[in-house]
Amino acid sequence: MRCALRFIGSTCDIAVISDDGDFAFEHSLALPDTYSALLTSLYDILKGADPSGRVKFVGVSLSGDYSPKTERLYCPSIALINDQNLKADLQASLNREVFIASHAHILAKSANQLPEFKSATNIFSLYLDDEVCAGQLVNQTLVTGANGLAGNWGHICLPWPVEFELEDRDCACGRSGCLGLFVSRAALSREYLLLSEREVPAETVFAQAEQGDIVAESAIQVFEDRLARGLAMVINLMDPEVIVLSGRMSQPSRLFINIPRKWPGYVRGGANATRLVGFANTPEEMRRLCLLGAASLENIEAV
Ligand SMILES: [Zn+2]
């Protein structure tokens, strides 16, 4: 038996999963006000779900950067756990070994287990939702880096900016112009707001564009170009065979046609050998795959 935690927005999903991958227990915890209350709540929930102590370890999926070497956690979108020594504190509280990885790392590993991507040796995974995080898998091994920063794509500056594009884009990390500020759900809502003076969720912007709303279409084209630039930078740097997109911002099928079409403008010779694919296409599938992946984190090697 394994326990998996998924931190997402203001909640923490908890699951106890059998070695065969069956969900024996599931619960969604609203994040409490304090870090100590979080640790206490998780202890109480796991004790109730596993009274006989069959769960041997806990895997954690979150949107952030975690270095197994330094044990430093950078997760500015969830202030409650940001900069905390989450691994050591959970281990002490739950009395089990704890493993931590980002949603993107976990989904890169999950995608690599699919027959169609089994032979891929270089996979880049990008999770686009309210939060943005990325991960890289090379030769079936997660790349976390010397400082745990290998997936820190969302806090690289938007490449090839046009005039004024980086202005008024302050990030939680303390810098400005970070990619995550241009490709998240909030980013598309903001772009539409700037053009229309109406505030709607990103999904509504996509739906309105489908119905012929030219303002929504304009906002999406700006979003697509920014995402294409951010991914072109990845191709120029590491040239992956597969780029896996997940999260609610990756659901519209138009992205998988329009974004590769933009790459020749930013990548010399284009990037015909790089496949851009969607993964974990619904919130429920995303939840399940992140929990299953977190539950098998003990088997994941990272460099
Ligand atoms: Zn940033």
Side-chain angles (χ1 to χ4, degrees), residues 254-269:
R254 59 180 288 166
L255 304 184
F256 303 95
I257 298 167
N258 295 344
I259 288 175
R261 282 180 180 164
K262 293 174 180 290
W263 284 339
Y266 304 109
V267 180
R268 181 173 54 81

Side-chain angles (χ1 to χ4, degrees), residues 160-176:
W160 303 287
V162 298
E163 199 171 5
F164 308 121
E165 196 172 14
L166 301 181
E167 289 187 358
D168 194 23
R169 299 277 180 169
D170 295 330
C171 183
C173 74
R175 309 293 296 182
S176 61

Side-chain angles (χ1 to χ4, degrees), residues 118-168:
K118 198 100 185 169
S119 62
T121 57
N122 189 346
I123 296 176
F124 183 77
S125 167
L126 181 59
Y127 171 82
L128 296 173
D129 205 287
D130 290 328
E131 302 141 349
V132 173
C133 62
Q136 185 182 354
L137 193 75
V138 176
N139 293 331
Q140 282 71 52
T141 302
L142 289 177
V143 178
T144 52
N147 302 287
L149 293 170
N152 204 16
W153 180 91
H155 296 284
I156 297 171
C157 193
L158 175 73
W160 303 287
V162 298
E163 199 171 5
F164 308 121
E165 196 172 14
L166 301 181
E167 289 187 358
D168 194 23

Side-chain angles (χ1 to χ4, degrees), residues 4-300:
L5 307 179
R6 181 183 74 141
F7 286 92
I8 183 133
S10 58
T11 63
C12 176
D13 297 325
I14 304 147
V16 173
I17 299 172
S18 74
D19 294 343
D20 295 329
D22 295 324
F23 283 65
F25 171 84
E26 294 180 68
H27 182 75
S28 187
L29 171 71
L31 292 181
D33 293 334
T34 66
Y35 184 61
S36 61
L38 170 69
L39 296 174
T40 303
S41 296
L42 291 175
Y43 169 81
D44 290 341
I45 291 166
L46 186 54
K47 188 177 180 187
D50 179 38
S52 55
R54 290 194 296 160
V55 169
K56 299 303 177 202
F57 76 89
V58 178
V60 180
S61 178
L62 46 75
S63 177
D65 300 306
Y66 172 73
S67 168
K69 292 170 187 164
T70 65
E71 298 196 351
R72 175 181 173 273
L73 174 64
Y74 178 69
C75 187
S77 61
I78 303 180
L80 193 69
I81 58 173
N82 185 38
D83 267 339
Q84 297 284 359
N85 197 343
L86 187 67
K87 181 184 173 87
D89 294 338
L90 282 177
Q91 285 185 163
S93 174
L94 304 180
N95 197 27
R96 275 120 171 146
E97 191 168 6
V98 172
F99 301 90
I100 299 175
S102 76
H103 304 322
H105 275 127
I106 285 170
L107 293 171
K109 193 73 180 172
S110 298
N112 194 214
Q113 289 165 358
L114 297 176
E116 59 188 303
F117 305 129
K118 198 100 185 169
S119 62
T121 57
N122 189 346
I123 296 176
F124 183 77
S125 167
L126 181 59
Y127 171 82
L128 296 173
D129 205 287
D130 290 328
E131 302 141 349
V132 173
C133 62
Q136 185 182 354
L137 193 75
V138 176
N139 293 331
Q140 282 71 52
T141 302
L142 289 177
V143 178
T144 52
N147 302 287
L149 293 170
N152 204 16
W153 180 91
H155 296 284
I156 297 171
C157 193
L158 175 73
W160 303 287
V162 298
E163 199 171 5
F164 308 121
E165 196 172 14
L166 301 181
E167 289 187 358
D168 194 23
R169 299 277 180 169
D170 295 330
C171 183
C173 74
R175 309 293 296 182
S176 61
C178 293
L179 264 165
L181 299 170
F182 295 95
V183 295
S184 65
R185 289 181 71 238
L188 181 57
S189 292
R190 173 188 161 135
E191 203 60 41
Y192 185 70
L193 176 66
L194 289 173
L195 295 172
S196 68
E197 298 185 356
R198 281 184 291 144
E199 190 165 11
V200 297
E203 291 79 4
T204 304
V205 181
F206 278 110
Q208 289 183 186
E210 263 187 32
Q211 291 162 11
D213 179 339
I214 57 170
V215 178
E217 177 62 30
S218 297
I220 291 170
Q221 287 187 15
V222 170
F223 160 74
E224 287 176 338
D225 193 68
R226 289 167 171 168
L227 181 55
R229 277 183 266 164
L231 290 176
M233 178 178 58
V234 170
I235 295 167
N236 280 314
L237 191 64
M238 55 174 283
D239 201 5
E241 296 156 79
V242 182
I243 295 176
V244 178
L245 287 190
S246 57
R248 281 176 287 181
M249 288 301 285
S250 73
Q251 289 176 18
S253 57
R254 59 180 288 166
L255 304 184
F256 303 95
I257 298 167
N258 295 344
I259 288 175
R261 282 180 180 164
K262 293 174 180 290
W263 284 339
Y266 304 109
V267 180
R268 181 173 54 81
N272 292 335
T274 297
R275 293 174 61 194
L276 179 68
V277 298
F279 189 57
N281 290 319
T282 66
E284 174 53 25
E285 192 177 4
M286 168 74 62
R287 188 188 71 87
R288 198 179 63 83
L289 285 173
C290 283
L291 288 169
L292 279 171
S296 55
L297 273 177
E298 64 166 348
N299 300 320
I300 289 182

